[in-house]
Amino acid sequence: MGLRRYLDPIEEQHLGAAPTHVAEYRGAVEHRYLRQAFELLCLRHPVLRGRVETGRHGSLLYVEPGHQPEDIRTRGDYEVLLRHAFGPWNPAHAMARLIHVRENGGGFVALRIDHAIVDGHSLRAIFDELWEIYAETVRGIETSIGPGTSLPRSPQDLLAERWRSLPDRFPLAQQEDWHRVPPHQGYIRFDERDTAALLTAARDHGTTVHALIAGSVLGTQCAHGSRTSAPVPMICLSPVNLRSRVIPAVTATETTALVKIHKAELAVRPDRAPYATGRELKAQLESAIAGRELLSPAELSMVLSALPDSPLDPRFAIAQVSNNGHVHARLERFTEPRFLGFSSAVDLISDAFPIYSVFTFRGELSIRYLFPSNRFSAEEVAQLTESLSGLLRSSCGAGTGLRG
């Protein structure tokens, strides 16, 4: 009998959503070696070979000997990649897929993995491992990878064991009121010079990059959705990765997700400086982490169902902003292939609020944005993100060009 366990409620709420993590490269990638590296990766992490069978007792994650996820190799451009990233997905068939799209002089390599078995932190770590195995394979270095003998730990069990805090106050079932929809998505990108200016501005104003960007997000949404110049109540959600905050610490792939949420309640005016909002948010966040007063994803639906009355259009009253820091540092040294950058193609999100995610690669900062397509038009998203880019650049004295 293969490895098996039931998904816990944290994992189950993400089942069937399958984001695709993408690297754009220049140079040559030998697909036969890439496929071999992927097979070794799946040997090390058997959860990637898993499937899910959902029945009356729950969603059973299981790994059968001999089952291998598929790989896709084709020629084309980024649009071809997106067709595979947004194609049909069935966890009963597979939980992971390798995608390689080649074009003249380079191409794209992506991993599409079900969100029930990875979060952003573990997906990036697995992606780094794929390329490190590939590099050894190309050089003819015999790997010492042995078969993994277990599935990742349940995040619910790990949180109960290592993050002692108040129990969840609301049942997970409340989140069923939310709907999954395709997002409007894209990136605001800063070059190395403008990224340095942003870091300096945050430091000089006594805040962090995360808090400065969050303050700018709230200010932008307030300006677009408010019908008054008076302060309006707004909420900013900040996911907190707990892997390094528990004792003993948890490795990237030891569990499928280990995240709590901080909810900051702030009074925002359209003309309020983003630094002021950012400093207030930073203070609330640090206090909540120190006191372990963070929310589980299960509690968000009840929190959001009780938003205060406000003249602000409710679509703009809340946002989620996360900062993933410096990503894929191990891949910066690669020269063949050379990685130009990374992106994520997200197939489905909850329609509860806009999501912004910040990361830096090779000294250049990117802000990924996701807006529920049933609540925001493409035109509104374009206006919001252009305003956000302009506010951030003017706040830190950076250039004014928007790179998508």
Side-chain angles (χ1 to χ4, degrees):
M1 179 180 293
L3 302 171
R4 59 185 56 217
R5 71 166 172 83
Y6 282 98
L7 298 178
D8 73 16
I10 296 173
E11 298 164 323
E12 197 162 21
Q13 67 179 309
H14 296 303
L15 180 63
T20 302
H21 194 61
V22 184
E24 181 180 5
Y25 71 88
R26 285 292 174 266
V29 171
E30 292 288 339
H31 189 81
R32 62 189 175 106
Y33 293 129
L34 184 64
R35 171 67 197 185
Q36 185 177 342
F38 183 51
E39 291 174 352
L40 290 169
L41 182 73
C42 293
L43 181 68
R44 175 184 285 170
H45 301 288
V47 69
L48 298 176
R49 296 186 285 113
R51 290 181 279 187
V52 169
E53 179 181 296
T54 299
R56 61 190 181 92
H57 297 297
S59 297
L60 179 66
L61 172 64
Y62 67 98
V63 180
E64 288 183 333
H67 173 67
Q68 286 287 345
E70 68 179 331
D71 70 299
I72 295 172
R73 177 179 57 175
T74 188
R75 295 195 65 85
D77 55 13
Y78 191 66
E79 292 302 316
V80 173
L81 175 86
L82 290 181
R83 286 202 292 271
H84 292 289
F86 298 143
W89 186 259
N90 184 359
H93 174 68
M95 299 288 280
R97 182 177 297 153
L98 172 69
I99 306 169
H100 183 194
V101 178
R102 295 183 295 174
E103 60 181 0
N104 293 336
F108 305 89
V109 171
L111 287 179
R112 188 179 186 189
I113 304 179
D114 199 285
H115 198 3
I117 62 170
V118 290
D119 60 4
H121 192 73
S122 58
L123 177 53
R124 287 188 295 273
I126 288 171
F127 202 77
D128 285 351
E129 288 183 30
L130 172 70
W131 286 105
E132 289 171 341
I133 298 170
Y134 171 81
E136 292 182 348
T137 304
V138 168
R139 293 199 301 268
I141 300 173
E142 186 173 346
T143 65
S144 58
I145 294 174
T149 58
S150 63
L151 295 171
R153 292 275 310 271
S154 155
Q156 187 177 63
D157 290 350
L158 272 176
L159 285 169
E161 177 185 300
R162 303 188 196 180
W163 180 262
R164 295 180 178 85
S165 61
L166 295 175
D168 296 348
R169 291 167 289 177
F170 306 111
L172 186 64
Q174 294 290 339
Q175 197 156 331
E176 294 176 359
D177 294 339
W178 299 355
H179 303 284
R180 285 181 177 178
V181 298
H184 295 301
Q185 57 191 297
Y187 288 83
I188 300 170
R189 300 196 187 271
F190 293 79
D191 63 20
E192 193 169 356
R193 183 191 64 181
D194 288 356
T195 297
L198 191 64
L199 295 171
T200 299
R203 181 176 59 250
D204 290 349
H205 287 84
T207 188
T208 62
V209 170
H210 165 260
L212 172 57
I213 292 175
S216 300
V217 164
L218 294 182
T220 299
Q221 292 192 182
C222 180
H224 279 259
S226 181
R227 296 181 292 274
T228 176
S229 60
V232 293
M234 298 188 71
I235 290 176
C236 183
L237 303 174
S238 300
V240 180
N241 177 25
L242 298 180
R243 287 176 173 84
S244 63
R245 299 180 186 274
V246 297
I247 300 175
V250 176
T251 63
T253 56
E254 187 177 345
T255 185
T256 56
L258 206 68
V259 175
K260 288 273 192 176
I261 309 292
H262 175 249
K263 183 190 75 155
E265 299 182 50
L266 304 151
V268 182
R269 295 193 319 270
D271 60 347
R272 190 185 192 198
Y275 305 113
T277 304
R279 283 193 293 267
E280 186 179 345
L281 185 149
K282 176 176 178 286
Q284 288 190 33
L285 176 60
E286 291 175 347
S287 176
I289 292 174
R292 300 200 168 189
E293 298 171 342
L294 301 176
L295 304 172
S296 79
E299 297 179 273
L300 286 183
S301 58
M302 289 298 292
V303 170
L304 300 180
S305 68
L307 291 175
D309 291 334
S310 168
L312 184 63
D313 182 332
R315 295 179 303 151
F316 299 92
I318 185 166
Q320 177 175 296
V321 183
S322 60
N323 187 6
N324 298 303
H326 186 189
V327 302
H328 298 303
R330 290 182 284 178
L331 303 186
E332 290 181 347
R333 67 178 185 271
F334 273 59
T335 57
E336 187 63 32
R338 174 177 169 79
F339 295 103
L340 303 183
F342 297 87
S343 60
S344 292
V346 179
D347 53 347
L348 297 171
I349 63 169
S350 162
D351 66 353
F353 42 75
I355 299 171
Y356 305 80
S357 180
V358 183
F359 66 89
T360 303
F361 175 71
R362 203 176 274 128
E364 297 186 340
L365 183 142
S366 298
I367 304 173
R368 184 189 71 180
Y369 54 83
L370 303 165
F371 285 79
S373 58
N374 64 337
R375 303 187 68 195
F376 293 87
S377 69
E379 292 75 18
E380 286 177 314
V381 172
Q383 292 169 3
L384 278 162
T385 53
E386 186 173 359
S387 294
L388 173 59
S389 175
L391 177 59
L392 279 168
R393 295 174 193 278
S394 63
S395 297
C396 65
T400 56
L402 173 64
R403 294 199 293 126

